[in-house]
């Protein structure tokens, strides 16, 4: 999703051939294989897309507590949680996809769902 | 500087460590089980409080002392807080201390009975007894934190430079 947000990948594909091309392109993107357990809980900067900076945050299995801690920590450290837009990437993919494998099993429909979700986030940032 | 003492449920070891840090419990001499149980926050926090730092007080050097329960997500959540602090350029303003390393089986069993099984009458005194026996370790942990804080504290000359 971060790659789509930053324009590294298109937000929409029409054919399986396009999806295959995206899949091959995605290999060049950092963290395309997913994060290691050591990286869980780390804010990883992916890129800048005005007006926002885009990060990924691997949260592990208990996402609820980690995200609650995130919001509380932001306040504790003197920032405003409103400056952060947390997007749960797993809402589109019902099942937790295995890192690195999911793009190869992705259908055009699922990919486009992810793309539309990213577009909605981008719209929300500019409004 | 912000000091966060964190443990599993924010109800036992982190509370006592914070109280030791703030001088509300003595750093030397015996402490009774009753004294531990009289601490207002002891055995108080519930699952809903996990993940939210709770402000306990300021120490003599104006460092803010917090307690925090991170359940089984200690590693991920503490990494997240540090990561965020780095992002906000506040990593040097934060010390996170895992108090679970200082406690033994008795406190864990007491905490489990009180918080999971809801046998407060049995669990709370047991946890308090465990804390009493773990007090030397908790005190040395707090002492190490205080030493660390003194190292981080800029000396008077440096402080004066900040005004210019």
């Amino acid at each position: 999703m971060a790659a789509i947000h930053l324009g590294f990948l298109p937000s929409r594909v029409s054919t399986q051939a396009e999806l295959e091309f995206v899949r091959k392109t995605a290999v060049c993107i950092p963290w395309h294989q997913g994060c290691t357990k050591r990286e869980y809980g780390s804010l990883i900067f992916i890129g800048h897309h005005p007006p926002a900076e885009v990060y990924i945050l691997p949260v592990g299995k208990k996402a609820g507590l980690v995200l609650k801690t995130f919001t509380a920590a932001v306040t504790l450290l003197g920032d405003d949680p409103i400056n952060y837009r947390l997007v749960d990437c797993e809402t589109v993919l019902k099942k937790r996809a295995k890192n690195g494998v999911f793009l190869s099993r992705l259908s055009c429909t699922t990919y486009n769902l992810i793309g539309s979700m990213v577009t909605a986030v981008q719209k929300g940032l500019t409004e | 500087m912000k000091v966060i003492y964190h443990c599993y449920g924010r109800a036992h070891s982190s509370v006592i460590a914070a109280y030791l840090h703030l001088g509300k419990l003595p750093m030397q001499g015996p402490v009774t089980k009753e004294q531990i149980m009289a601490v207002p926050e002891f055995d108080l926090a519930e699952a809903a409080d996990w993940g939210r730092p709770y402000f306990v007080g300021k120490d003599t050097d104006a460092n803010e002392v917090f307690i925090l329960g991170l359940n089984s997500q200690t590693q991920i959540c503490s990494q997240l807080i540090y990561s965020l602090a780095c992002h906000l350029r506040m990593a040097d303003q934060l010390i996170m201390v895992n108090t679970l390393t200082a406690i033994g089986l008795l406190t864990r069993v007491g905490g489990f009975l009180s918080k999971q099984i809801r046998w407060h009458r049995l669990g709370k005194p047991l946890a308090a007894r465990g804390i009493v026996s773990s007090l030397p370790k908790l005190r040395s942990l707090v002492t190490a934190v205080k030493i660390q804080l003194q190292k981080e504290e800029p000396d008077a000359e440096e402080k004066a430079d900040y005004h210019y």
Side-chain angles (χ1 to χ4, degrees), chain A residues 67-127:
Chain A
L67 297 179
K68 191 171 153 188
T69 307
F70 178 88
T71 313
V74 167
T75 312
L76 178 78
L77 295 167
D79 204 355
D80 192 341
I82 209 162
N83 295 329
Y84 297 83
R85 177 71 59 92
L86 297 167
V87 183
D88 184 357
C89 301
E90 287 186 331
T91 51
V92 175
L93 306 165
K94 302 284 183 204
K95 290 177 188 172
R96 179 179 283 259
K98 280 194 173 178
N99 294 332
V101 182
F102 95 88
L103 268 175
S104 61
R105 292 179 185 167
L106 205 61
S107 69
C108 288
T109 318
T110 316
Y111 185 89
N112 290 339
L113 264 173
I114 297 171
S116 60
M117 198 169 156
V118 173
T119 312
V121 172
Q122 285 173 328
K123 271 187 187 170
L125 290 170
T126 48
E127 275 169 11

Side-chain angles (χ1 to χ4, degrees), chain A residues 61-62 65-66, chain B residues 7-9 50 69-77 100:
Chain A
K61 286 176 185 171
K62 289 192 176 174
L65 179 62
V66 179
Chain B
C7 62
Y8 187 90
W50 295 345
L70 294 176
N71 190 241
S72 57
Q73 303 300 298
T74 304
Q75 203 176 338
I76 297 176
C77 290
L100 276 177

Side-chain angles (χ1 to χ4, degrees), chain B residues 11-77:
Chain B
H12 303 109
S13 59
S14 59
V15 176
I16 300 307
Y19 268 67
L20 286 167
H21 185 116
L22 295 169
K24 292 178 181 178
L25 283 172
M27 283 295 276
Q28 281 174 341
V31 173
T32 62
K33 190 179 80 178
E34 286 70 29
Q35 275 177 283
I36 299 291
M37 285 172 67
V39 170
E41 287 90 354
F42 187 76
D43 201 49
L44 187 71
E46 295 293 340
D49 302 312
W50 295 345
R52 284 198 204 105
Y54 176 86
F55 178 69
V56 186
K58 276 188 180 181
D59 67 9
T60 47
D61 297 319
N63 299 304
E64 294 173 315
V65 177
F66 294 85
I67 51 174
L68 175 64
L70 294 176
N71 190 241
S72 57
Q73 303 300 298
T74 304
Q75 203 176 338
I76 297 176
C77 290

Side-chain angles (χ1 to χ4, degrees), chain B residues 84-106:
Chain B
L84 200 56
C86 289
H87 168 66
L88 296 169
R89 294 190 173 86
M90 283 191 70
D92 57 342
Q93 292 293 305
L94 187 73
I95 293 181
M96 290 195 68
V97 188
N98 186 359
T99 56
L100 276 177
T101 56
I103 59 154
L105 190 63
L106 207 55

Side-chain angles (χ1 to χ4, degrees), chain B residues 107-122:
Chain B
T107 311
R108 287 170 204 263
V109 172
F112 176 79
L113 289 176
S114 177
K115 292 290 152 192
Q116 298 287 330
I117 313 285
R118 300 264 158 210
W119 287 352
H120 302 292
R121 288 180 67 181
L122 180 66

Side-chain angles (χ1 to χ4, degrees), chain A residues 38 41-43 55 62 68 77, chain B residues 48 50 71 79-80 83 87:
Chain A
R38 277 184 164 210
S42 300
L43 268 178
Y55 294 82
K62 289 192 176 174
K68 191 171 153 188
L77 295 167
Chain B
W50 295 345
N71 190 241
Q79 186 153 322
L80 174 62
S83 179
H87 168 66

